[in-house]
Amino acid sequence: MGNTINNNNIALHIEDLSIAYTKDKYAVKGINADIYKNTITAIMGPSGCGKSTLLRAINRMHELYPEIKVTGNILMKDQNIFKINAMEVRQKIGMVFQRPNPFPSMSIYENVLAGYSLNGIKLKKEEKDRIVQEVLEDVGLWEEVKDTLHKKRTALSGGQQQRLCIARSIAMKPDILLLDEPTSALDPISTSKIEELLMKLKDKFTIVIVTHNMSQAARISEYSMFMYLGDLIEYDLTKKMFTNPNDKRTEQYLTGKFG
Amino acid sequence: MNKMKYRRYKDKAFLYLMFLITIIAITPLASIIFELVAKGFNQLNISFFTEVAPTTLDSMLAKSTGNPVKGGIANGIVGTLQIVGIASLMAIPLGVFVGIYLAENSNKKFSTLVSFSTDLLAGIPSIVYGIIAYAWIVIKITDGYSGFAGSVALSIMMLPLVIRSTEESIKMIPASLKEASLALGTSYRKTILRVILPSAMSGLFTGILLSISRVIGETAPLILTALGSQVINLDITKPTSAIPLLIWEFYNDPYLINMIWSSSLFLMLLVLIFNISAKQISKRWAIQ
Ligand SMILES: Nc1ncnc2c1ncn2[C@@H]1O[C@H](COP(=O)(O)OP(=O)(O)OP(=O)(O)O)[C@@H](O)[C@H]1O
Ligand SMILES: [Mg+2]
């Protein structure tokens, strides 16, 4: 993994990142990694190995919980994301959570534009309409919801809700999109729709996805990380890792021997 | 086998017993409603809503001429709307903000203190609020009995209810919603005001309506503050009438006893409307 931060291909440079929920009990231990632009990077590993913790730190979600201690740096375009305004970082680094969490008090239309309205960014009506249609088409939801855009409390399935949440994130045109097991609560059809979507979206964004589903990682990602007990054990091209892993633990995990 | 049968009998007996006790418990409730409707309903006419309450003089005159006592409770209705309305304007914003603070800072020492005081506040007898509003407002500010003093007494009574219901409904909102908002780069203030509060609206409104229906019939604190008035009074610094105050006055006049029933019936209907709306809102607006 090249160490030059100036490299144009690098979206995120993670440097000696450690995260502890309680003193001296690290959930993420001194991770170094570069995330490459316009690729999908999958983070894998057994439950509790620190995948969500790592992902959430990139979006600075840990700051909601003052007891969490983070050391190390994450650089984005030569800027340390821990040193600049958190709101600015979060507008550039979008996050999709494991459980779909659309805003229940808003219509579909308002949900898609929530990033703008909540940040006080004013848009013209035509511009709003264009963004809503564009991103809902991107996530494959347009046809299903175009007649109920302005209705509040429309009943959406879990998969539709998750695609709406992705739409809400990408409407903000972030540079990087983080997804924490976005399909773990979904049926196979919704899952494959979201996978197709992610493959399409990587031309526009850099995507980091936590997944428990190894075949999903194999299907969609170029790069894969394998974490174990807070350590980044292995980080390589997905093809290489799945065919010829360097570490014994990676191999054991991928062959289902533990996890 | 016999034992089983015995057990079944015991279960049956227990069921009947519960039924019987329920009947006994609701009998007084049902009789109150029956009595209010029976004695008060035929007086709920137009003049009941448009005319002010009869005075003792009116009732004595009517008695001597043999005519029925004329009059309504318009001064009470307007007064109640005004006193409770202003009380709500003070208690609701304040209570909602304190409730948000408590929900958002539940692990702080200060919150425990506020929470504890809120519980204490809820346990104080309502007449004490009246005495306090008398000392603070009647004597020091409005220089005499006033509707505003009544509003202050009722608003302090409403506070703990609004605070608690806000706190509870905000705590019900999953953390994931807050995270979703902040993850979009939204500020904390906007997250609370534009995402969390609207999502908690159902619980919030229910609590607010219930707190209003809780104080709308309060009499003791108003006797010491709003005092009452024979005319429709819109000046909040002057003595003001209210439905429960009128009921108290009617009680003190043997010729006006009938008005008690109609006024009480009306008050009960008002509270009923508030309670039903509260239920409807919590059902309709409930999220998931
Ligand atoms: N809020 C928390 N407070 C204390 N410890 C936590 C908290 N959240 C996570 N942890 C601990 O941090 C470690 C990493 O958790 P994390 O949620 O990052 O794992 P994960 O890899 O995402 O697991 P999963 O696949 O089950 O989602 C675990 O040991 C967990 O017990
Ligand atoms: Mg996780």
Side-chain angles (χ1 to χ4, degrees):
Chain A
M1 311 305 98
N3 266 332
T4 40
I5 308 160
N6 299 333
N7 192 325
N8 276 333
N9 288 326
I10 292 173
L12 283 177
H13 176 75
I14 301 171
E15 212 173 70
D16 203 21
L17 187 72
S18 295
I19 306 166
Y21 285 96
T22 43
K23 208 166 175 294
D24 298 327
K25 264 198 71 191
Y26 285 90
V28 167
K29 301 169 186 164
I31 284 188
N32 290 289
D34 287 335
I35 307 287
Y36 298 101
K37 274 187 186 160
N38 297 106
T39 62
I40 298 180
T41 303
I43 306 180
M44 289 180 290
S47 187
C49 69
K51 307 180 294 291
S52 298
T53 306
L54 168 63
L55 200 73
R56 291 165 61 87
I58 303 176
N59 185 259
R60 286 176 65 171
M61 268 299 125
H62 59 272
E63 286 168 22
L64 306 189
Y65 308 94
E67 66 277 11
I68 304 179
K69 292 282 169 285
V70 175
T71 56
N73 296 314
I74 300 178
L75 304 187
M76 177 174 65
K77 293 182 191 148
D78 289 339
Q79 271 184 316
N80 189 335
I81 67 159
F82 293 143
K83 298 256 162 72
I84 52 181
N85 184 299
M87 291 184 255
E88 205 177 305
V89 173
R90 291 176 189 146
Q91 284 178 29
K92 288 185 185 144
I93 306 179
M95 174 109 183
V96 174
F97 298 82
Q98 178 167 357
R99 302 187 63 198
N101 49 6
F103 298 128
S105 56
M106 299 183 189
S107 65
I108 292 173
Y109 189 89
E110 290 168 328
N111 256 291
V112 174
L113 295 170
Y116 292 95
S117 59
L118 291 175
N119 282 299
I121 303 168
K122 297 250 175 344
L123 297 174
K124 288 205 189 73
K125 173 87 170 62
E126 311 87 73
E127 218 169 342
K128 286 187 191 173
D129 290 346
R130 188 181 54 74
I131 293 174
V132 169
Q133 176 161 5
E134 193 181 293
V135 297
L136 285 180
E137 277 172 356
D138 271 346
V139 301
L141 208 53
W142 177 250
E143 286 303 321
E144 291 157 57
V145 303
K146 67 176 185 225
D147 299 321
T148 51
L149 282 180
H150 296 280
K151 239 179 78 186
K152 304 234 171 177
R153 284 179 291 280
T154 355
L156 295 177
S157 73
Q160 288 174 322
Q161 287 183 28
Q162 192 61 295
R163 279 182 283 153
L164 179 59
C165 291
I166 297 176
R168 182 176 66 188
S169 283
I170 63 178
M172 289 298 284
K173 307 217 169 0
D175 299 330
I176 298 161
L177 188 60
L178 310 171
L179 304 106
D180 193 352
E181 300 184 46
T183 60
S184 67
L186 307 184
D187 63 278
I189 294 172
S190 305
T191 299
S192 71
K193 276 191 180 163
I194 288 182
E195 287 179 7
E196 276 168 37
L197 164 67
L198 294 180
M199 308 238 267
K200 205 169 68 184
L201 287 178
K202 75 175 180 199
D203 295 337
K204 298 186 191 170
F205 311 106
T206 302
I207 294 173
V208 182
I209 179 172
V210 168
T211 179
H212 266 295
N213 182 331
M214 280 176 260
S215 56
Q216 179 170 65
R219 278 194 299 272
I220 65 174
S221 71
E222 279 95 345
Y223 291 91
S224 286
M225 292 186 185
F226 173 67
M227 287 178 70
Y228 185 60
L229 298 178
D231 289 308
L232 178 56
I233 304 295
E234 193 161 345
Y235 177 26
D236 214 327
L237 284 165
T238 302
K239 277 206 187 88
K240 162 84 171 43
M241 195 193 279
F242 274 77
T243 49
N244 186 17
N246 282 333
D247 197 282
K248 191 116 182 75
R249 287 164 295 184
T250 316
E251 187 183 334
Q252 284 174 338
Y253 180 74
L254 291 175
T255 51
K257 296 236 169 61
F258 71 86
Chain B
M1 203 60 210
N2 253 341
K3 210 172 170 189
M4 285 295 276
K5 227 177 189 173
Y6 179 59
R7 266 211 212 150
R8 249 205 336 258
Y9 281 132
K10 273 213 300 200
D11 274 357
K12 263 235 169 91
F14 183 63
L15 248 133
Y16 284 129
L17 187 70
M18 283 200 295
F19 182 69
L20 196 73
I21 289 176
T22 309
I23 294 285
I24 293 174
I26 64 163
T27 305
L29 291 177
S31 351
I32 291 173
I33 295 171
F34 179 78
E35 188 142 358
L36 287 184
V37 174
K39 294 187 173 167
F41 186 72
N42 51 14
Q43 281 179 90
L44 285 185
N45 46 26
I46 303 259
S47 62
F48 179 81
F49 297 100
T50 56
E51 285 174 32
V52 296
T55 62
T56 312
L57 194 67
D58 293 336
S59 69
M60 267 157 52
L61 275 175
K63 183 76 183 168
S64 63
T65 56
N67 294 327
V69 192
K70 278 204 220 129
I73 59 162
N75 51 337
I77 295 175
V78 173
T80 286
L81 285 180
Q82 180 196 313
I83 292 172
V84 175
I86 290 172
S88 307
L89 283 184
M90 295 189 286
I92 293 167
L94 213 65
V96 167
F97 268 97
V98 176
I100 296 173
Y101 180 84
L102 291 184
E104 283 290 298
N105 300 279
S106 52
N107 46 6
K108 290 206 178 119
K109 274 229 173 67
F110 180 63
S111 304
T112 323
L113 192 72
V114 175
S115 204
F116 183 67
S117 332
T118 307
D119 287 341
L120 275 184
L121 207 59
I124 295 175
S126 65
I127 192 157
V128 176
Y129 293 111
I131 293 171
I132 286 167
Y134 177 84
W136 289 354
I137 314 291
V138 173
I139 293 182
K140 297 214 171 102
I141 296 182
T142 54
D143 200 18
Y145 294 105
S146 65
F148 180 66
S151 298
V152 169
L154 296 190
S155 74
I156 308 175
M157 274 194 79
M158 288 174 72
L159 258 183
L161 298 167
V162 178
I163 291 174
R164 274 280 171 264
S165 63
T166 306
E167 185 189 356
E168 302 295 321
S169 24
I170 292 207
K171 277 188 176 163
M172 296 271 287
I173 305 293
S176 64
L177 218 56
K178 189 175 173 187
E179 292 184 350
S181 173
L182 291 169
L184 288 170
T186 313
S187 66
Y188 177 72
R189 181 179 63 93
K190 287 248 173 98
T191 298
I192 296 293
L193 295 181
R194 305 262 313 264
V195 175
I196 306 296
L197 261 190
S199 309
M201 229 15 137
S202 139
L204 225 84
F205 255 86
T206 312
I208 287 170
L209 288 180
L210 290 179
S211 73
I212 292 175
S213 76
R214 167 80 185 74
V215 299
I216 205 165
E218 274 299 329
T219 319
L222 293 188
I223 292 177
L224 295 169
T225 52
L227 189 67
S229 161
Q230 291 173 356
V231 294
I232 293 178
N233 166 52
L234 296 175
D235 183 349
I236 60 168
T237 65
K238 292 275 160 357
T240 309
S241 189
I243 303 170
L245 283 177
L246 286 181
I247 295 177
W248 172 241
E249 285 164 23
F250 296 151
Y251 168 77
N252 287 315
D253 186 328
Y255 301 132
L256 293 177
I257 211 90
N258 277 336
M259 297 286 285
I260 293 180
W261 302 114
S262 44
S263 309
S264 307
L265 177 64
F266 178 63
L267 203 54
M268 190 189 77
L269 290 176
L270 219 56
V271 171
L272 188 71
I273 290 171
F274 273 111
N275 286 343
I276 290 177
S277 333
K279 279 228 177 76
Q280 283 303 317
I281 285 178
S282 78
K283 234 195 276 169
R284 279 265 199 86
W285 293 13
I287 280 154
Q288 271 140 30

